[in-house]
Amino acid sequence: MEPTEVPPERPRPLDPRVRTLWWLAAVLRAALVSVLTVSVDFLFLPEFGPAREFWSPGWLSSTVAIAAFGLAILVPPLRYRRWRYALRERELWLRRGILWVRISVIPYRRLQFVDTEQGPLERLFGLARVVAYTAAPGTSGWIPGLDQTFAEELRERLARLAPEHGDDA
Amino acid sequence: MVTTPDPVPDEPEAAVRDGDPLRGDPSRLHPSAVAVWTLEAIYALILIIITGGTLPILGAAMMVGIVGLNALRYFRFRWRLDPDSLVIEQGLLRRHRRVIPRDRVQTVDLEIRLRHRLFGVVEVRVEALGGGATEGKLAALNPATAEALRRTLLPGPARPVDSTPEADEGEPLARAGTWRLVGAGLTGGRVGVGAAIVGFALQFLPEERVAEWLTVTNDEVPEFFALGGLRLLGAVVVIALLGGFLLSLAATVLAYWDFALERSGDTLRVRRGLLTLHRDTVPFSRIQAVQVEENLPRRLLGFAAVRIIVAGRAGGGGGEGTDLILPLGRRAEAFRLAGRVAAHPSDRPPELEGQPSDAIPLQRMPKAARARRLARATIVVLLGGGAAAGGVAMSAGAAAGIPSSLSPGGTGLVTAAILGGAGMALALAAYRNLGWWSGTDHIAVREGVFTRVTTVVPLDRLQAVEISSNPFQRRRGLATLHLPIARPLRTRRAPRALDLGETEAESLLNDLSGRIRDLPWSGTPDHAARSR
């Protein structure tokens, strides 16, 4: 995705690197959850849990670990496939979500602030996200997993498209 | 942007100039601010009086201390109106400066409490769009200054604070006399309904059974029940609830006493209150949406209440929040008012007025939405029945002497039957209350189970358009349309059309976004999209 190319109005995917980023983040989360569950399983439950006939050590841990790592592997590519954004002539179009799908349309005229954000993992991959705010509370829309240079350019672009001095009362 | 409070290093403390604060001369509040602030801390005063009763010297010392602190506060307080912002500086130890840009002002409200009336002053509250505490409060000003400030900050003709409405050019929109307010209090109280239900249910409670059951778990209880304790407890609870209800009824009547709503140029003005007088001003351009609220008792009687949604309105002051523009009215009147307020300032006749029916002709959601409501109710029924059965089973396991009439299966079934009947009724009601309507300049949505809320949003107030769908909705071909608007943070979510047909939702998404992309928003002309 070249920063200088004219953004088409068709929905486009995110930077492919974000899929790897999401995988990494999900695997780390799964590992953390598994470790916590192991400690609960082997330290906490034998003392305070239900009687021994209902479970055995390791049962909880393995279930949780399988689920967590399974999700970690399956979800990111799905999520990547579902994320789409488009820079239309007068509005921003966003689509995200696997189970819970959301489509947002934000006219440039309504943009109040546009930020770029970058967490530590994102910095590692050279990615950033663009976050758009309108007068409605909370974030109106965001696009994760953009190449960081492109993200900066996109933010500048949106800032210019948004009204300079706002609209008249 | 509203700056956060900070010591101001670059500007020396503004010297008070003997001039006009409305022209930028830093001024103090009215001297009675000292007394007003002192009287404000009513709990501290009560403490002082109690202390003074036992240790007069200590009480007197505390009194002197508080008055002294407030006097200091008065001397340190500065305010002025610059060409483009209202500046308030205060603070005893740390200087705290609040700058409210004039174009961010949402409402200007005047409050006259008893303590203000003692000295003939007025409190001015300015609400602005921005972060958390964006309110500007001037605790004591003389009425002329207050009115001049209000006039300058907001469009519309000024009028003296204490004048009667007839003397002014305002166009009256709504009134609420005492009886109407009593009606509002009677039908608005949640407490009343609760008290009625509790009282009713307690009559049927099998005292002996409950006593037995409790005996199983706690040995001291039987004595209590032998003395008819349960009945007594029930009576106490009911009296407490009724007392609370009557108090809230009185509070409603007092807070909205002599309620009058009028249109004055480009602003909406609310006048109400007995002990505390409120004079609220909201420019029409700051109204983001209008809501007609019909709770269960009111719906049955054919009444409704009307609210406005104003960005940044924290809802402070007044019993039910200062965004109520009609505490109670007949349904037709309520919808007519909502239509008028939402339509302003269009020159076209309000499209929501003059409908054959007395309300907005809402469209129903697809039948699949009803199925979805029923499905959700079924889950609750199953969970409830299961929980009841489980509860009985567990207590049977815990102690041997359980009365034989309470079996897990039986309890489960009975609970499920009761919940099922109630659940189905609620689900059907929830479905019937869903609705939407799309006009040339507005869109209206409705939802609610007990309280049915119809929200009218002028199209130019929409900040964006969204649709969402979860797997259950998708299975039935449904989706939800969201209408993000600028609103106070305390509201739960944006207005929405729940469980629309998905094709309908999609076409509304395209239609609405097509229409709003060129509509200016009359709100804050912000330094938009500044990179932060």
Side-chain angles (χ1 to χ4, degrees), chain A residues 90-91 98-105 107 109-112 115 133-137 155-156 159 162-163 165 167, chain B residues 460 462-471 474 485-486 489 513 516-521 525-526 528-529 531-532:
Chain A
R90 274 172 295 194
E91 64 218 357
I98 305 170
L99 288 178
W100 193 43
V101 179
R102 271 189 107 98
I103 302 179
S104 311
V105 179
R109 275 192 107 115
R110 296 285 185 270
L111 290 177
Q112 299 275 319
D115 286 357
Y133 295 90
T134 63
R155 187 192 58 185
E156 289 302 314
H165 295 293
D167 299 314
Chain B
D460 65 349
L462 281 178
Q463 298 297 316
V465 193
E466 281 186 6
I467 56 177
S468 72
S469 63
N470 62 40
R474 277 198 295 284
I485 51 172
L489 296 171
S513 56
I516 68 174
R517 65 166 75 113
D518 288 317
L519 281 178
W521 180 53
D526 205 353
S531 311
R532 291 191 294 191

Side-chain angles (χ1 to χ4, degrees), chain A residues 1 11 14 36 51 56 64 66 88 91 93 98 123 130 133 135 137 147:
Chain A
M1 203 173 310
L14 307 171
L36 285 175
S56 32
V64 169
I66 291 174
R88 296 194 189 158
E91 64 218 357
W93 179 93
I98 305 170
R123 222 189 326 265
V130 170
Y133 295 90
D147 172 76

